[in-house]
Amino acid sequence: MIIQAFLRWVETAKASERASAASALGRAFAEADVNGIDRQAVEMAMTFLLDDPSPKVRRSLAEALADCPIVPRSIIKALAQDQPEIAYIAISRSPVLNDDDLVDMAADGGAETRALIASRSAVSCAVAAAIAEIGGEEEVLILLENPGARLSPGSLRRIADRLGDSVAARGLLLERHDLPSDARQTLAEKAGAALAASDLVRAVIGEDRAQRVVRETCDAAALTLSSASAREELQRMVAALRKTGRLTPALLLTALCSGRTEFFSAAIVDLSGVPEKRVRSILSGGRFHSIRALLETAGLGREVSGMFSEAVLFCQCEADADHDGASLSVAARLSDRLRRRSLGAYHAVAELAERLAFAEQRQRARNYALMLSRQAA
C-alpha cells in the first residue's frame, strides 16, 4: 500500500522531490532496511523510476545503488545504459556488473564507456584484454595507469603491438616489471623506427647512418633481452624478428660472437622447423657437416652455411678456451681466421665480424671514458 501510494505521489511530485524519494528508496534497499515483501515492492518502484523523465531522479537512484552488491542486475544495467553522467556512476562503481557485462559494454559502447570500465577499482584479466584489443589510446592509458587492473602478458603484448608508437603508452609499459621481454623488444623496434623517421635525426647524422644506428641498437637490445627471457618469450621474440626481416646473418653472427647461444639456437629452430632438442644436439655436437646441413635447412646458402658452421665450431672452442686476458674479442679472432680464406663468402663474413669487433672496441672505449668521468666527478 505504501508503494502504491508512492507511485501515485510520483505522478504529481516535483523533480527534486522525486530525486529525494529515489535516493531514499535506493538507500533503504542497499542497507537491507526492508523485509522480503517490501523488497519486491521497492524493486518495482525503482524499476518504475528508471523511466522518470528527469535525469536528476535517475542519477539519485544510481548514486544510492552504485556500491550495492545485491541490487538486481537489470536495474544496474539499465542505469549503465543511461546518459553519460548517470552511466558513469553505474559502470565505474557497481560490483553487480560481471565480466560478461563489462566486455559486452566495452564492445558495444564508445570510447567514454571503455574509459569508465578501464577506471574501475578492479578490472579483471578478461575485461582488460577486451580493452587492450579494441580500446583507443586514451582508454588504454587509463587501463595502464590503474593499479587495480590485472593485465595478462598477452594483453601487454597486444598493447605493445597496437599502441607501441605512442610515447605515453611506451613509457607506461616499460615501467612495468611484468612486461614480457618480447614486448620490450617490440617497443624497442617501434622507438627505433620513430627515431629513424625523425627529421632532426636525419638532418644531423643522415638517413643512412640513422637507419644503421637504429638497426644495430635494436639488435643489441634483442640480444640483451634474450639473456633474461623465458623460453616462450624468446621464441616469440625470434618469430617477430623473422617476420619483420630482422633475423639476419649479421644478427646471428653477433649472437654467436657475443655468446648468446640461447638466442642463436632459438633462431635456428624458428628458421629450420627442426625440433629444439635436435637443434641443440647438433649445435653442441661439434660435427661440421651436421651443423652445415642444419643451417642449410634454416635457409642459409651453401657457401654461407659452410662459413657459419665453421664460425659455430670456432665460437664453441673460444668459449671453452682460456686466453689468459687476451685483448682480442671472439669477433676479432674470428675475423682474422676467416680472412685467411680465399672464398668470397668467407671474406664477406670476415668483414662483418671485423665490424662487430670494432663496434665492441668502440663500446669499451665509451665505457672507459664514462668510468673516468664518473671518477673525476
Side-chain angles (χ1 to χ4, degrees), residues 36 49 72 80 95 157 161 177 186-187 204 211 216 229 242 249 266 276 291 302 310 325-326 333 348 375:
L49 290 176
R157 291 187 183 98
D161 288 337
H177 298 297
T186 298
L187 295 178
V204 173
Q211 293 286 350
E216 292 175 354
S229 298
R242 173 179 51 77
E276 179 182 2
I291 295 175
R302 184 70 178 171
E310 187 167 332
R333 291 192 290 273
Q375 290 176 349

Side-chain angles (χ1 to χ4, degrees), residues 6 8-22 49 52-58 60:
F6 169 78
R8 287 195 300 269
W9 171 80
V10 162
E11 295 178 358
T12 59
K14 296 179 181 179
S16 59
E17 295 172 339
R18 299 198 308 274
S20 297
L49 290 176
D52 194 285
S54 173
K56 293 180 180 179
V57 176
R58 305 193 303 275
S60 295

Side-chain angles (χ1 to χ4, degrees), residues 268-289:
I268 299 303
V269 170
D270 186 86
L271 291 169
S272 66
V274 176
E276 179 182 2
K277 186 176 181 180
R278 178 61 177 162
V279 168
R280 290 179 179 274
S281 174
I282 293 174
L283 292 179
S284 62
R287 295 170 56 187
F288 178 87
H289 294 291

